Amino acid sequence: MKKILTITLSLGLLLGASGLAEAKSNVKTYKNCTELNRVYKGGVAQSSSVKNKGGKTKYKPFVSKELYNANIKSDRDKDLIACEK
């Protein structure tokens, strides 16, 4: 009985999580840093623990792994922050 309940709950969680992944896939890709900085002045960081290699920046970056991955081409110095200012 416990196995059936465990399997049913696991399937429910898996199916529910796949629906969430589809909802987050509508991430905008920006053509260049000028466009991205109009919306996100400090750029976009992959995670909150990322440190900027270039030194002091004027603005704090917005943290979003999905948005960063969609605009990874704009991270020229490969410090995991795209278009930092």
Side-chain angles (χ1 to χ4, degrees):
M1 183 68 175
K2 284 185 179 181
K3 276 188 175 181
I4 293 172
L5 184 59
T6 304
I7 292 171
T8 305
L9 287 174
S10 298
L11 285 174
L13 288 173
L14 287 174
L15 294 174
S18 67
L20 291 174
E22 290 175 18
K24 289 185 178 182
S25 65
N26 294 331
V27 176
K28 182 167 175 141
T29 302
Y30 293 90
K31 186 167 65 171
N32 54 36
C33 283
T34 304
E35 283 186 8
L36 190 138
N37 286 138
R38 283 187 191 134
V39 181
Y40 305 102
K41 288 191 181 280
V44 178
Q46 186 180 38
S47 73
S48 60
S49 63
V50 169
K51 302 291 183 207
N52 185 6
K53 287 182 186 174
K56 191 93 171 143
T57 56
K58 192 172 182 179
Y59 301 102
K60 187 175 179 181
F62 178 78
V63 178
S64 171
K65 186 175 184 177
E66 293 84 13
L67 188 59
Y68 173 81
N69 288 336
N71 294 283
I72 198 166
K73 67 181 181 351
S74 297
D75 186 9
R76 294 186 301 172
D77 57 358
K78 307 292 184 228
D79 63 352
L80 303 179
I81 305 172
C83 302
E84 63 268 23
K85 270 189 170 182

